[in-house]
């Protein structure tokens, strides 16, 4: 079976309808387990106190904000190369989810940073690149809304996605590129010296899984809505032409 079969709207609608109940159920389980475990059954950090528990919202949302843009990049490239409408509609559907994830990451980062750094905001390399990524998300959504022709909008937003991908990479690796700045390195690492302690790490894995599954569930729902909207627009156009 070819992966490209799922670029067919009918095939996508059938498959996503079968997946959605399971993805929604697993999302609820992972988020409830991860957040309850993390917030109520882990100790305070010896340096950061109870503020360390923001990690269960901040790290998953920040990772998803970046990876959603990467997903949009891949689907935009598929559109530019193969001209599959489902791929670009998936990118369009993912953008508002990415905006929310970026906002959660910025907001929780400010709450976490204030007691640690003594300020709500700092023009730190990672924070700045993350803010720019947020603006790219907004620009992507605005560009879709500003252009009436859907194929032209798809082309231009795909190009914008390519440009914005530079800042997605910077957001992920900014703390490694520059030594200056207040933001710490990655909370998750293969190096046990740098990785968070197991007592925080284990519930964090559930939160990460929950955020990934939440994105998949919302993406399927929103992509299905985009497909239906496009079908409705095509039917209305045919009616006007027939009249």
């Amino acid at each position: 079976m070819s992966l490209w079969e799922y670029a067919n709207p009918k095939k996508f609608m059938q498959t996503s309808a079968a997946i959605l109940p399971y993805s929604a159920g697993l999302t609820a389980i992972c988020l409830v387990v991860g957040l309850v475990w993390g917030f109520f059954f882990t100790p305070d950090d010896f340096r950061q106190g109870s503020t360390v528990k923001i990690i269960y919202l901040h790290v998953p949302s920040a990772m998803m904000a970046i990876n959603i843009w990467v997903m949009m990049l891949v689907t935009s490239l598929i559109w530019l190369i193969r001209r599959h409408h489902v791929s670009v509609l998936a990118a369009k559907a993912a953008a508002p989810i990415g905006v929310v994830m970026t906002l959660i990451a910025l907001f929780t980062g400010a709450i976490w940073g204030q007691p640690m750094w003594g300020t709500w905001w700092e023009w730190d390399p990672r924070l700045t690149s993350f803010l720019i990524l947020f603006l790219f998300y907004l620009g992507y959504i605005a560009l879709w809304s500003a252009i009436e022709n859907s194929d032209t909008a798809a082309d231009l937003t795909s190009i914008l996605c390519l440009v914005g991908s530079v800042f997605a990479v910077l957001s992920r690796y900014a703390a490694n590129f520059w030594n200056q700045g207040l933001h710490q390195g990655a909370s998750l690492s293969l190096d046990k010296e740098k990785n968070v302690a197991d007592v925080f790490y284990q519930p964090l894995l559930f939160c990460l899984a929950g955020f990934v599954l939440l994105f998949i569930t919302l993406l399927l729902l929103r992509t299905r809505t985009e497909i239906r909207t496009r079908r409705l627009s095509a039917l209305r156009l045919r009616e006007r032409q027939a009249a």
Side-chain angles (χ1 to χ4, degrees):
M1 181 181 292
S2 171
L3 181 64
W4 301 115
E5 288 184 26
Y6 296 96
N8 179 285
K10 183 178 180 181
K11 180 71 172 179
F12 176 85
M13 294 294 279
Q14 291 173 344
T15 305
S16 60
I19 293 173
L20 271 170
Y22 299 100
S23 65
L26 288 172
T27 298
I29 292 170
C30 288
L31 285 178
V32 169
V33 170
L35 293 175
V36 171
W37 185 359
F39 280 113
F40 299 105
F41 296 97
T42 57
D44 293 347
D45 183 70
F46 74 101
R47 287 180 180 171
Q48 303 182 48
S50 60
T51 59
V52 72
K53 298 184 180 184
I54 298 173
I55 194 174
Y56 300 112
L57 291 174
H58 179 69
V59 171
S61 60
M63 290 182 67
M64 290 310 303
I66 297 167
N67 288 315
I68 287 171
W69 191 274
V70 174
M71 169 262 162
M72 291 166 57
L73 169 64
V74 172
T75 52
S76 296
L77 286 172
I78 292 172
W79 163 254
L80 291 173
I81 297 169
R82 301 292 296 261
R83 312 301 284 185
H84 287 311
H85 284 88
V86 171
S87 65
V88 77
L89 291 179
K92 181 182 179 183
I97 308 172
V99 167
V100 174
M101 291 293 181
T102 310
L103 275 176
I104 293 173
L106 289 170
F107 182 70
T108 55
I111 295 174
W112 196 358
Q114 203 283 329
M116 296 299 104
W117 302 341
T119 179
W120 295 98
W121 179 263
E122 177 71 26
W123 292 102
D124 175 274
R126 180 171 286 185
L127 298 183
T128 304
S129 58
F130 221 86
L131 178 62
I132 295 172
L133 177 62
F134 172 69
L135 296 177
F136 266 98
Y137 268 121
L138 294 182
Y140 181 93
I141 295 171
L143 192 57
W144 264 109
S145 302
I147 301 173
E148 187 172 349
N149 184 282
S150 58
D151 284 355
T152 302
D155 288 337
L156 293 177
T157 52
S158 295
I159 294 170
L160 177 63
C161 196
L162 294 176
V163 177
S165 297
V166 174
F167 291 96
V169 173
L170 287 177
S171 297
R172 174 64 183 85
Y173 296 106
N176 298 332
F177 291 160
W178 295 283
N179 290 325
Q180 68 269 26
L182 297 176
H183 200 287
Q184 67 186 51
S187 298
L188 300 177
S189 173
L190 295 175
D191 187 345
K192 289 188 177 181
E193 295 285 329
K194 298 179 180 179
N195 201 36
V196 295
D198 287 346
V199 67
F200 302 115
Y201 178 70
Q202 292 162 355
L204 181 57
L205 289 180
F206 277 94
C207 291
L208 288 169
F211 270 73
V212 171
L213 289 166
L214 176 62
F215 168 64
I216 291 172
T217 302
L218 294 176
L219 177 66
L220 292 176
L221 286 170
R222 287 188 50 79
T223 305
R224 288 169 62 86
T225 301
E226 291 293 342
I227 291 172
R228 290 192 179 109
T229 301
R230 178 163 289 205
R231 285 177 176 173
L232 183 60
S233 298
L235 288 173
R236 287 174 175 171
L237 180 60
R238 288 177 188 174
E239 289 177 357
R240 286 199 297 267
Q241 290 174 344

